[in-house]
Amino acid sequence: MNKKIVLFLICATGINIIINSLHAQCTDWKQLQVIDSIFTNPFFGISTTPEADKLNRPFEYVASVSGGLKIYNNNDAGNPILLSTIPKSNLGNLDVINLYQDSIWLYVCLGNIWDTTEMAGLAIIDVTNPSSPQIMDYYIYPGLTGGSGAVAIQGPYAYLAANKNGLIILDISNKNKIQFKSKLILDQHFPHSKTGSTSLYNARGIALQGHFAYVCFDRGGLRIIDISDANAPIQINQYCFPALIDKATAYNNIVIHNHLAFVSIDYYGMEILDISNPKSIVQLGWWHPNSWAEATNDFIIWSNSAGHANELAYDPDCNIIYIAAGKSDLVAIDVSDPQHPQTCQTYGTPDDDYGTWGLDFYNHKVHISYIWSPVTPPHSNYTGFKILQTNCTPTDIKTPFKKIECSLYPNPTLGPIHINTFGQNINAITILNPYGQVVQTPFYLNNEISLADLPTGIYYINIQTQNSIFLKKLFKR
């Protein structure tokens, strides 16, 4: 047989295998279904980030910029009712930008990220009773202006992505008294040959794993920070997609699952990175629809891209990433093959006047917020939020996570403990005595902690993952 024909057949077979593999990723996909939505007058607040109640109650927390914090009751499907509001005047007169809930505590990022006159801050709200939320405390950092973009919680500390102020670490062990711990201003001389405007370098998104913080630094790419010493965080690495160097760059948000980081990079889509070694980041995959803008410095081109990737979430049951995609509203991406991410559905169209900014995922529902931004991307004339039901069932699961489990070993122990959460990311660990008092909030690396400093006795290990909370009894010899 002719060598050229053989080579063609081999290549064609390989291409066919790849194509079939990609299509198989979304074979069982079922369309997202809207189950709740509300749109409001932007004069009373612009929705940026929605947060589903993590105590399985029918409440929605919405960051509403100058409209403060708004809490809705979603009990009557299709008819969300505004239950309560905390105005910005009660929060140091700072806009509400982003939210994160941990148990009864709602952490509120303060300071408008588009208004360079506002400071960065954090508030802690007790949402035991959402109809009457209680402000425990709020903290305003007396540094540079520029607001705060996101917050992550681990143990007694809050890690605030504070725009121009970089990373701010706050002690939140006493919810009634937030205390400054440390900060790290990030260098602006990476990755471009010309730095450009300092206003383009902002700590926007953050995710934690072990004793590392991964910070999305807008035009400055992704920064990896060692936070093992909360008093002295130190940057150990930095990364940028080579195609974006010396082009318009916006690292916006990040979520982490095991050794994979999923990073939204605005008009240029999403990267999938291997972070097994934080000092050596490796790109595994890249998602970028053909209709989205290519790498450019032309403002008209990138601002009019069919999509702008911002907040995102990972569904561990179905290996799906959900992205708030600006003019493209919401995109569901199958990442079961990290090297070949595949679009399963785009909910929304770039041809209308709707555009999203924020996103949350909880109990197989996607919560997206629509931002009023008629002049700048995503060029949206409406604000509010929607809740969409996903249709992934246990029979659709493509990962080995069949049951939600957690185990500790060895038990009893002389000190070292390995925690097996069977694929779930650990968000926080606390050690309690038999009376329920917190005796230690250990740092953990590779799912390992140590009780070596604790006396012999019985302890309970509280382990919070992205899906569950476990309480395990343990004996220290």
Side-chain angles (χ1 to χ4, degrees):
M1 184 180 291
N2 187 290
K3 289 183 179 180
K4 290 183 178 179
I5 295 175
V6 172
L7 180 61
F8 171 79
L9 290 174
I10 291 172
C11 292
T13 301
I15 292 170
N16 188 58
I17 290 171
I18 292 173
I19 291 173
N20 287 338
S21 173
L22 293 179
H23 285 308
Q25 286 177 255
C26 295
T27 298
D28 299 322
W29 180 257
K30 302 175 184 68
Q31 297 295 297
L32 299 165
Q33 302 294 321
V34 177
I35 58 175
D36 236 336
S37 68
I38 186 170
F39 287 86
T40 57
N41 188 327
F43 179 80
F44 299 106
I46 299 170
S47 301
T48 51
T49 295
E51 181 82 0
D53 182 78
K54 300 305 186 291
L55 298 176
N56 297 308
R57 302 174 300 180
F59 302 116
E60 191 85 9
Y61 308 100
V62 180
S64 299
V65 191
S66 62
L69 170 67
K70 296 185 183 297
I71 303 177
Y72 290 85
N73 187 331
N74 296 324
N75 199 42
D76 183 8
N79 184 33
I81 297 172
L82 182 61
L83 189 65
S84 57
T85 300
I86 296 180
K88 63 179 288 185
S89 58
N90 291 358
L91 299 168
N93 207 36
L94 294 179
D95 289 349
V96 174
I97 298 299
N98 209 329
L99 307 170
Y100 176 79
Q101 186 186 0
D102 180 15
S103 183
I104 64 170
W105 310 116
L106 185 69
Y107 297 89
V108 180
C109 293
L110 301 175
N112 193 315
I113 59 176
W114 301 281
D115 182 351
T116 56
T117 67
E118 289 206 359
M119 313 297 281
L122 180 74
I124 302 176
I125 313 295
D126 182 342
V127 292
T128 301
N129 179 6
S131 63
S132 182
Q134 302 297 310
I135 301 172
M136 305 303 293
D137 192 20
Y138 66 81
Y139 171 88
I140 300 174
Y141 178 66
L144 300 172
T145 58
S148 58
V151 65
I153 307 298
Q154 183 171 279
Y157 301 121
Y159 299 84
L160 191 65
N163 270 31
K164 294 174 182 58
N165 289 291
L167 176 66
I168 296 175
I169 302 178
L170 301 172
D171 186 332
I172 55 168
S173 54
N174 180 352
K175 300 296 187 285
N176 292 298
K177 190 176 182 180
I178 302 171
Q179 293 186 304
F180 175 80
K181 193 72 174 177
S182 62
K183 69 176 175 67
L184 179 65
I185 297 290
L186 303 176
D187 178 70
Q188 298 182 355
H189 294 92
F190 175 87
H192 309 288
S193 58
K194 294 183 179 180
T195 302
S197 172
T198 58
S199 66
L200 300 175
Y201 293 82
N202 302 287
R204 296 277 299 277
I206 185 170
L208 308 178
Q209 187 174 72
H211 61 266
F212 296 105
Y214 296 80
V215 178
C216 290
F217 194 42
D218 212 349
R219 180 170 167 80
L222 180 68
R223 306 300 175 94
I224 299 87
I225 300 167
D226 187 332
I227 55 172
S228 54
D229 181 355
N231 291 302
I234 182 171
Q235 180 177 309
I236 63 163
N237 197 9
Q238 52 197 6
Y239 167 87
C240 182
F241 194 164
L244 287 173
I245 294 176
D246 290 330
K247 303 294 183 182
T249 304
Y251 275 69
N252 287 338
N253 275 283
I254 178 172
V255 293
I256 294 174
H257 179 71
N258 294 333
H259 68 288
L260 298 179
F262 303 90
V263 188
S264 62
I265 47 178
D266 207 86
Y267 72 93
Y268 213 49
M270 176 188 73
E271 284 188 274
I272 303 175
L273 306 176
D274 185 338
I275 59 170
S276 300
N277 179 359
K279 293 185 177 180
S280 179
I281 305 297
V282 177
Q283 187 193 76
L284 295 179
W286 172 46
W287 173 86
H288 178 260
N290 290 333
S291 60
W292 289 32
E294 296 295 332
T296 181
N297 280 316
D298 189 318
F299 173 80
I300 299 299
I301 292 176
W302 72 254
S303 67
N304 286 289
S305 173
H308 294 267
N310 191 33
E311 293 187 7
L312 69 171
Y314 175 72
D315 176 356
D317 287 339
C318 302
N319 269 337
I320 298 291
I321 284 285
Y322 294 101
I323 292 184
K327 291 291 290 180
S328 291
D329 292 26
L330 170 66
V331 184
I333 306 163
D334 191 318
V335 292
S336 54
D337 179 357
Q339 294 182 329
H340 303 100
Q342 180 77 0
T343 302
C344 294
Q345 181 183 350
T346 298
Y347 173 84
T349 170
D351 299 326
D352 59 25
D353 292 326
Y354 292 84
T356 59
W357 178 269
L359 182 145
D360 190 23
F361 175 78
Y362 185 67
N363 277 350
H364 297 290
K365 297 180 179 67
V366 183
H367 305 245
I368 51 175
S369 61
Y370 288 80
I371 185 172
W372 184 78
S373 180
V375 178
T376 57
H379 304 293
S380 172
N381 289 324
Y382 300 91
T383 190
F385 69 87
K386 287 185 180 181
I387 304 174
L388 298 95
Q389 178 69 57
T390 67
N391 292 293
C392 172
T393 62
T395 57
D396 298 326
I397 293 174
K398 304 176 181 68
T399 67
F401 310 130
K402 300 295 184 181
K403 294 169 64 179
I404 297 178
E405 298 176 341
C406 178
S407 64
L408 308 178
Y409 58 88
N411 187 7
T413 181
L414 293 173
I417 288 291
H418 181 81
I419 303 170
N420 188 351
T421 55
F422 298 88
Q424 299 180 77
N425 282 343
I426 294 177
N427 291 336
I429 299 173
T430 51
I431 301 174
L432 309 136
N433 63 21
Y435 303 101
Q437 299 167 320
V438 176
V439 295
Q440 194 178 93
T441 305
F443 278 102
Y444 50 92
L445 179 63
N446 297 327
N447 284 25
E448 292 185 353
I449 61 173
S450 175
L451 276 65
D453 296 335
L454 296 177
T456 298
I458 294 174
Y459 296 93
Y460 291 87
I461 314 298
N462 182 290
I463 304 153
Q464 297 183 33
T465 70
Q466 75 264 36
N467 293 323
S468 308
I469 298 176
F470 303 97
L471 189 65
K472 294 291 184 178
K473 185 176 180 179
L474 180 125
F475 183 72
K476 164 70 188 307
R477 288 175 174 170

